Amino acid sequence: MQHYLSLQDIDSLSQWVEEAKSLKAAPLQHKSLGAGKTICLLFFNNSLRTRLSTQKAAMNLGMEVIVMNFGSEGWALEYGDGTIMDQGTSEHIKEAAKVVAQYCDVVGIRAFASLTNKEQDEAEVVLNNFKKYAGIPVINMESSVGHPLQALADAITLSENNSKKKPKVVLSWAPHPKALPHAVANSFVEMMHLQDADFVITHPKGYDLNPEITKNTKIEYDQDKALEDADFVYVKNWSNYQDYGKVLNQDKNWTMTAKKLGKAKFMHCLPVRRNVVVTDEVLDGEQSLVIEQAKNRTYAAQIVLKKVLASLED
Amino acid sequence: MQHYLSLQDIDSLSQWVEEAKSLKAAPLQHKSLGAGKTICLLFFNNSLRTRLSTQKAAMNLGMEVIVMNFGSEGWALEYGDGTIMDQGTSEHIKEAAKVVAQYCDVVGIRAFASLTNKEQDEAEVVLNNFKKYAGIPVINMESSVGHPLQALADAITLSENNSKKKPKVVLSWAPHPKALPHAVANSFVEMMHLQDADFVITHPKGYDLNPEITKNTKIEYDQDKALEDADFVYVKNWSNYQDYGKVLNQDKNWTMTAKKLGKAKFMHCLPVRRNVVVTDEVLDGEQSLVIEQAKNRTYAAQIVLKKVLASLED
Amino acid sequence: MQHYLSLQDIDSLSQWVEEAKSLKAAPLQHKSLGAGKTICLLFFNNSLRTRLSTQKAAMNLGMEVIVMNFGSEGWALEYGDGTIMDQGTSEHIKEAAKVVAQYCDVVGIRAFASLTNKEQDEAEVVLNNFKKYAGIPVINMESSVGHPLQALADAITLSENNSKKKPKVVLSWAPHPKALPHAVANSFVEMMHLQDADFVITHPKGYDLNPEITKNTKIEYDQDKALEDADFVYVKNWSNYQDYGKVLNQDKNWTMTAKKLGKAKFMHCLPVRRNVVVTDEVLDGEQSLVIEQAKNRTYAAQIVLKKVLASLED
């Protein structure tokens, strides 16, 4: 059974990217693959791109789609083992996961980091309990730790726009007024590890991502130096990881500008705060790939669902 | 025209159960029956199982499904006759029911008991006004007084797991921190009246259900005695009925345990509060039927919809 | 590319009405037209009729439908040019509109007037920015200024119920406890300008609609006089336009009664507050066309979608 919980569930990134590009060229070519199959998309958090693109991808494959805002439409879930449930939670994840699996063949789950409890966030309790108890393929629609559908769309976008054997790709931190999760940055890093590139991460000192994810990636604290001769610049805010979930820096010197970008292509997962994360000039310019990235979310989801559906037939 | 408002809308329970089991064996066998037909599922309250299983059932029959959270997405409804609507309500049920019927062929409605006004709850104003004004089949997705889709799923589950001519079935009250409706218990009782069983209800003194529903069912206030030699134990909390909607008892001695259960099968409609209503040991054990009950919600809804669709062709 | 933002997007009202009536007679006759096409319905406000009828219309044409409550399920949108987005808004309409267009072929949008800022409301920022940036057909599901799907349904209803060459049609203001937008009244006026009728608007002094919309329509402040020999009376509240969004008058003498109505047919877009806007007697009487109007919402949406889909093939 094929899950898609993280980049580690991809056996060959280059092959998945090629297949996704083939799906993009003819999205309905496997319309009968999902016939009679249902996917439940469970949202514990807000969503625009993921909500629409995953529905679209499933419909392109002929699946039935059920969308549910689990937080507001369902019951408050309990995750603890052995809890005496006489407080605010009404249903245990054990039952919820098994029950959902009675009504669908595949389940997609969005459950953001709390950013208040690192240990709990990193345990990925929602996702991992669904994986443990549901008994059906689980797709990560952004979890505490990762956003692998976004990273796969980014890989497709890089592939479509890259002409070099070993492009220089920079992940550049940006300021933001609110505490944001590390999921997108984490998955982008993990994705970059699956391909040949000169990959650099730049951020203010003290804003290091989880070293178990970045591993031996080159970190350059001088943004200008990091951006030199870049081919692609992926800009993203994340809150502090060491002082978990805190906003310790809003330095506007890190905002991406046309001057800093140089000749590189600009990437961002969206939503993006204009003139805080990146200037209007960059977003409205020809080097911006953000809309293409959004478009490729459909084909990232579609190749994942195609692999998942194929695994159900084994 | 076939409605499904209560157990009384079933002409032959044993036959419906058999047909449901046939649908379970081949869920898509009537995929063309609902072609061109639309069902609107209107939720005035939260839902997990009902939301997903009823959608799934309708899709299995080839129907188009529109789901709406009436409370949050629509307008506040007025139920009073002759009301001068210059206060908080924006639309009268008369218009709402007739209007919904312009866009669908069948309507499913979930509208829980208030638990504050017994008379109003028992009048089933939402359900009955839809029945009165919509002019299309109405399906009860849990009302103030009953949850007949759950009871039908329970009947299927009993049938699948019973090997005796006259099994002993016990409905056992359980403690709960919040005030819960009587709907599930009521419909279970009504369903048991439609089959041959040694049926006993056990609950603390003063927690009697509506005697118009329990009729001459055996009531045994001693839980241990009630559970003796039981084949099936259905556990469920309900708030007080006489002192309407109050939580007068949270006695943990009524929590179902493996020891109390003995060799009986355990049933519950879910969601369930672990270690309050029933211990982990029971829920995680092999005698628990709760996930099968949840699965059978699909086929309960599907046989109901099949009957409803057939009635539209008459 | 065919948008449907206002009545001005109709090239021939009488022809569209005739085609809508043909669709009503056989709703599934163009079931294959929308195959492989997706519509996103984005709601920034509550909805019953528009939500259900537009879904139904799209399904009748074989389209895939994705419904999203943008306000609660997505991100807070920014509309300002050049804004430094370090406050409450998370995503700029420029990105949101372009992104949505990656996942669908047509987008429907509901975004009510604020009633606090006339200039901003009349700029129709949500609708116009979607039109400007999305690059796909945009359908107005009620905007600040207009509700052209309602007006088209009203035109169908008038056509079905009119036997005169030049009927007398009266738009009559009614009292209401809350501040309501001008959208429905505006579009009704614009629609009436597209057909041959003796059209009169009646309302208390000081309650004039935008004169750029009413143009040279006859205004009669004496309701009784306006209603004389009327064939159709369309009743609707709107808040003050000059003293923008204020409720300056709740005079119950303007409530529509059976006596005032005389032999005319009664119309209202719904939801309607009984015994405030209009008496029970009128709504429950045979001269009321409100349910037919609601029914025709489906065929109004369907003819619009048919035109839009046809324009995509050009």
Side-chain angles (χ1 to χ4, degrees):
Chain A
M1 186 168 58
Q2 169 86 51
H3 293 287
Y4 189 66
L5 301 173
S6 78
L7 272 290
Q8 292 168 25
D9 290 315
I10 299 177
D11 53 6
S12 161
L13 178 61
S14 60
Q15 200 182 312
W16 285 40
V17 166
E18 287 314 307
E19 286 189 55
K21 285 154 81 172
S22 154
L23 288 168
K24 188 176 182 177
L28 302 181
Q29 63 182 292
H30 297 287
K31 183 81 183 180
S32 61
L33 190 65
K37 296 278 191 265
T38 303
I39 186 167
C40 282
L41 304 180
L42 308 184
F43 290 90
F44 290 81
N45 304 94
N46 281 21
S47 172
L48 170 56
R49 278 147 286 273
T50 300
R51 180 181 288 269
L52 300 186
S53 65
T54 314
Q55 281 187 73
K56 179 76 177 175
M59 298 186 313
N60 281 348
L61 291 167
M63 301 181 81
E64 306 269 20
V65 185
I66 295 176
V67 178
M68 180 171 172
N69 297 314
F70 210 96
S72 61
E73 296 173 343
W75 309 107
L77 292 188
E78 173 63 41
Y79 299 97
D81 251 332
T83 310
I84 296 169
M85 289 172 59
D86 56 5
Q87 300 298 317
T89 54
S90 299
E91 177 146 45
H92 202 283
I93 182 74
K94 288 185 189 181
E95 274 73 53
K98 287 178 189 171
V99 161
V100 166
Q102 306 310 311
Y103 311 128
C104 56
D105 303 282
V106 184
V107 61
I109 293 162
R110 163 161 286 201
F112 285 175
S114 68
L115 293 180
T116 55
N117 184 329
K118 187 193 276 196
E119 195 182 355
Q120 193 180 291
D121 284 351
E122 298 198 335
E124 297 272 35
V125 285
V126 186
L127 214 60
N128 282 329
N129 277 295
F130 267 95
K131 183 188 174 191
K132 185 170 177 183
Y133 295 112
I136 59 173
V138 178
I139 291 174
N140 181 348
M141 301 199 300
E142 187 172 343
S143 66
S144 299
V145 171
H147 195 356
L149 285 172
Q150 180 64 51
L152 183 51
D154 297 337
I156 299 166
T157 311
L158 279 172
S159 164
E160 289 177 328
N161 288 279
N162 178 42
S163 54
K164 290 192 182 170
K165 235 182 166 177
K166 192 173 175 177
K168 180 171 179 186
V169 179
V170 182
L171 171 60
S172 183
W173 182 90
H176 197 283
K178 283 193 170 176
L180 295 192
H182 309 90
V184 168
N186 286 346
S187 289
F188 187 76
V189 170
E190 290 183 319
M191 182 272 284
M192 287 309 301
H193 289 168
L194 299 178
Q195 53 183 275
D196 201 23
D198 176 11
F199 179 49
V200 183
I201 306 175
T202 183
H203 54 69
K205 283 188 181 170
Y207 260 76
D208 297 76
L209 292 163
N210 183 351
E212 290 180 30
I213 286 170
T214 54
K215 290 180 175 146
N216 57 355
T217 309
K218 187 177 169 187
I219 314 286
E220 170 57 67
Y221 299 115
D222 180 335
Q223 191 190 32
D224 289 337
K225 204 167 164 192
L227 294 171
E228 269 172 22
D229 299 320
D231 296 297
F232 297 90
V233 178
Y234 201 101
V235 176
K236 184 76 189 78
N237 167 267
W238 57 86
S239 57
N240 205 282
Y241 179 73
Q242 281 73 29
D243 196 352
Y244 190 65
K246 295 288 188 306
V247 177
L248 302 180
N249 187 330
Q250 297 194 47
D251 184 355
K252 293 274 180 95
N253 287 316
W254 283 85
T255 300
M256 186 55 51
T257 63
K259 193 179 164 199
K260 283 187 187 176
L261 187 63
K263 294 182 176 171
K265 301 282 190 183
F266 172 78
M267 299 179 74
H268 190 284
C269 60
L270 305 181
V272 68
R273 287 178 174 244
R274 285 176 166 250
N275 304 311
V276 177
V277 168
V278 54
T279 62
D280 282 338
E281 190 184 4
V282 172
L283 275 171
D284 296 333
E286 292 194 351
Q287 290 159 251
S288 172
L289 301 178
V290 297
I291 304 303
E292 289 188 50
Q293 287 174 266
K295 184 178 192 65
N296 285 330
R297 290 293 308 274
T298 300
Y299 308 105
Q302 200 170 333
I303 183 63
V304 165
L305 287 174
K306 184 168 171 284
K307 299 284 184 186
V308 164
L309 287 170
S311 82
L312 290 176
E313 289 176 0
D314 293 347
Chain B
M1 188 168 57
Q2 169 87 49
H3 293 288
Y4 188 67
L5 301 172
S6 77
L7 273 290
Q8 292 168 25
D9 290 315
I10 298 177
D11 53 7
S12 161
L13 178 61
S14 60
Q15 200 181 312
W16 285 41
V17 166
E18 288 313 307
E19 285 189 55
K21 285 154 81 173
S22 154
L23 289 169
K24 187 175 182 177
L28 303 181
Q29 64 182 291
H30 297 287
K31 182 82 185 181
S32 62
L33 190 66
K37 297 278 191 262
T38 304
I39 186 167
C40 282
L41 305 180
L42 308 184
F43 289 90
F44 291 81
N45 304 94
N46 281 22
S47 173
L48 169 57
R49 277 148 286 273
T50 301
R51 179 181 288 267
L52 301 186
S53 65
T54 314
Q55 281 186 72
K56 179 76 178 176
M59 299 187 312
N60 281 348
L61 291 167
M63 301 182 80
E64 306 269 21
V65 185
I66 296 176
V67 178
M68 181 171 172
N69 297 314
F70 211 95
S72 61
E73 296 173 343
W75 309 108
L77 292 187
E78 174 63 40
Y79 299 96
D81 252 331
T83 310
I84 296 168
M85 288 172 59
D86 55 6
Q87 300 298 317
T89 55
S90 299
E91 177 145 46
H92 202 283
I93 182 73
K94 288 186 189 180
E95 275 73 54
K98 287 178 189 171
V99 161
V100 165
Q102 306 310 310
Y103 312 127
C104 55
D105 304 282
V106 184
V107 61
I109 293 162
R110 162 161 289 201
F112 286 175
S114 68
L115 293 181
T116 56
N117 184 329
K118 188 193 275 196
E119 195 184 355
Q120 193 180 289
D121 284 351
E122 299 198 335
E124 296 272 35
V125 285
V126 186
L127 213 60
N128 282 329
N129 277 296
F130 266 95
K131 182 189 176 190
K132 185 171 177 183
Y133 294 112
I136 59 172
V138 178
I139 292 173
N140 181 348
M141 302 200 298
E142 187 171 343
S143 66
S144 298
V145 171
H147 195 355
L149 285 173
Q150 180 65 52
L152 183 50
D154 296 337
I156 299 166
T157 311
L158 279 172
S159 164
E160 288 176 329
N161 287 278
N162 178 41
S163 54
K164 290 190 180 170
K165 237 183 166 175
K166 192 173 176 175
K168 180 171 180 186
V169 179
V170 182
L171 172 60
S172 182
W173 182 89
H176 197 285
K178 285 191 169 177
L180 295 192
H182 310 90
V184 168
N186 286 345
S187 288
F188 187 76
V189 170
E190 291 182 321
M191 182 272 286
M192 287 310 301
H193 290 168
L194 298 178
Q195 52 185 276
D196 201 23
D198 176 10
F199 180 48
V200 183
I201 306 176
T202 182
H203 54 67
K205 283 187 182 171
Y207 259 75
D208 297 74
L209 292 163
N210 183 351
E212 290 182 30
I213 285 170
T214 54
K215 290 179 174 143
N216 56 357
T217 309
K218 186 178 171 189
I219 314 285
E220 170 58 66
Y221 298 115
D222 180 335
Q223 191 190 30
D224 290 337
K225 205 167 164 190
L227 294 171
E228 269 172 22
D229 299 320
D231 295 297
F232 297 91
V233 177
Y234 201 101
V235 176
K236 183 76 189 78
N237 168 268
W238 56 86
S239 58
N240 206 282
Y241 178 74
Q242 280 72 30
D243 195 351
Y244 190 65
K246 294 289 189 305
V247 177
L248 302 179
N249 187 328
Q250 297 194 49
D251 184 355
K252 293 277 179 90
N253 286 316
W254 283 83
T255 300
M256 187 54 52
T257 62
K259 192 179 166 198
K260 284 186 187 177
L261 187 64
K263 294 183 177 174
K265 300 282 191 184
F266 173 78
M267 299 179 75
H268 189 282
C269 60
L270 305 182
V272 67
R273 287 178 175 244
R274 285 177 166 249
N275 304 311
V276 176
V277 168
V278 54
T279 62
D280 282 338
E281 189 184 6
V282 171
L283 275 170
D284 297 332
E286 291 194 351
Q287 289 159 252
S288 172
L289 301 179
V290 296
I291 304 302
E292 288 188 49
Q293 287 173 267
K295 183 177 193 65
N296 286 330
R297 290 293 307 275
T298 300
Y299 308 104
Q302 199 169 334
I303 183 63
V304 165
L305 287 174
K306 183 169 173 281
K307 299 284 183 186
V308 163
L309 287 170
S311 81
L312 291 175
E313 289 176 2
D314 293 346
Chain C
M1 186 167 59
Q2 169 86 51
H3 292 287
Y4 189 67
L5 302 172
S6 77
L7 273 289
Q8 293 168 24
D9 290 314
I10 298 177
D11 53 7
S12 162
L13 179 61
S14 60
Q15 200 181 312
W16 285 40
V17 165
E18 288 314 307
E19 286 189 55
K21 285 154 81 172
S22 154
L23 288 169
K24 187 176 182 176
L28 302 180
Q29 63 182 292
H30 297 287
K31 181 83 184 180
S32 61
L33 191 65
K37 297 277 191 263
T38 304
I39 187 167
C40 282
L41 305 180
L42 308 184
F43 289 90
F44 291 81
N45 304 95
N46 281 22
S47 172
L48 169 58
R49 278 147 286 273
T50 300
R51 180 182 288 268
L52 301 186
S53 65
T54 314
Q55 282 187 71
K56 178 76 179 174
M59 297 186 312
N60 281 348
L61 291 166
M63 301 182 79
E64 305 269 21
V65 185
I66 295 176
V67 178
M68 181 171 171
N69 297 313
F70 210 96
S72 60
E73 296 172 343
W75 309 108
L77 291 187
E78 174 63 41
Y79 299 97
D81 252 331
T83 310
I84 297 168
M85 290 171 59
D86 56 6
Q87 300 299 317
T89 55
S90 298
E91 177 146 45
H92 201 283
I93 181 75
K94 288 186 191 181
E95 274 74 53
K98 287 178 190 171
V99 161
V100 165
Q102 305 310 312
Y103 312 128
C104 56
D105 303 283
V106 184
V107 61
I109 292 162
R110 162 161 287 201
F112 286 175
S114 68
L115 294 179
T116 56
N117 185 329
K118 187 193 275 195
E119 195 183 354
Q120 192 181 291
D121 283 353
E122 299 199 334
E124 296 272 36
V125 285
V126 185
L127 213 60
N128 282 329
N129 276 295
F130 266 95
K131 183 188 175 190
K132 185 171 178 183
Y133 294 112
I136 58 173
V138 178
I139 292 174
N140 181 348
M141 301 199 300
E142 188 171 342
S143 66
S144 298
V145 171
H147 195 357
L149 285 173
Q150 179 66 50
L152 183 50
D154 296 338
I156 299 166
T157 311
L158 279 172
S159 164
E160 289 177 328
N161 287 278
N162 179 41
S163 54
K164 290 190 181 170
K165 236 185 166 173
K166 193 174 175 176
K168 180 172 179 185
V169 179
V170 182
L171 171 60
S172 183
W173 182 90
H176 197 284
K178 284 193 168 176
L180 295 192
H182 310 89
V184 168
N186 287 345
S187 288
F188 187 76
V189 170
E190 291 183 320
M191 182 273 285
M192 287 309 301
H193 289 168
L194 298 178
Q195 54 184 275
D196 202 22
D198 176 9
F199 180 49
V200 183
I201 306 176
T202 183
H203 54 69
K205 283 189 181 169
Y207 259 76
D208 297 74
L209 293 163
N210 183 351
E212 291 181 30
I213 285 169
T214 54
K215 289 181 175 141
N216 56 356
T217 309
K218 187 177 170 187
I219 314 286
E220 171 57 66
Y221 298 115
D222 180 336
Q223 191 189 31
D224 289 338
K225 204 167 165 191
L227 294 172
E228 270 172 20
D229 299 320
D231 295 298
F232 297 90
V233 178
Y234 200 101
V235 177
K236 183 76 189 79
N237 168 267
W238 55 88
S239 57
N240 206 282
Y241 178 73
Q242 282 72 30
D243 195 350
Y244 190 66
K246 294 289 188 305
V247 177
L248 303 178
N249 187 329
Q250 296 194 50
D251 184 356
K252 294 273 179 96
N253 287 315
W254 283 83
T255 300
M256 187 53 53
T257 62
K259 193 179 165 198
K260 285 186 186 177
L261 188 64
K263 294 181 177 174
K265 300 283 190 183
F266 172 78
M267 298 179 76
H268 190 282
C269 60
L270 306 182
V272 68
R273 286 177 175 247
R274 284 177 168 250
N275 305 311
V276 177
V277 168
V278 54
T279 62
D280 283 338
E281 190 185 6
V282 171
L283 275 171
D284 297 332
E286 291 194 352
Q287 289 159 251
S288 172
L289 301 178
V290 298
I291 303 302
E292 288 189 49
Q293 286 173 266
K295 183 178 193 65
N296 285 331
R297 290 293 308 275
T298 300
Y299 308 105
Q302 199 170 335
I303 183 63
V304 166
L305 287 174
K306 183 168 172 284
K307 298 285 185 187
V308 164
L309 287 170
S311 81
L312 290 176
E313 288 176 2
D314 292 347

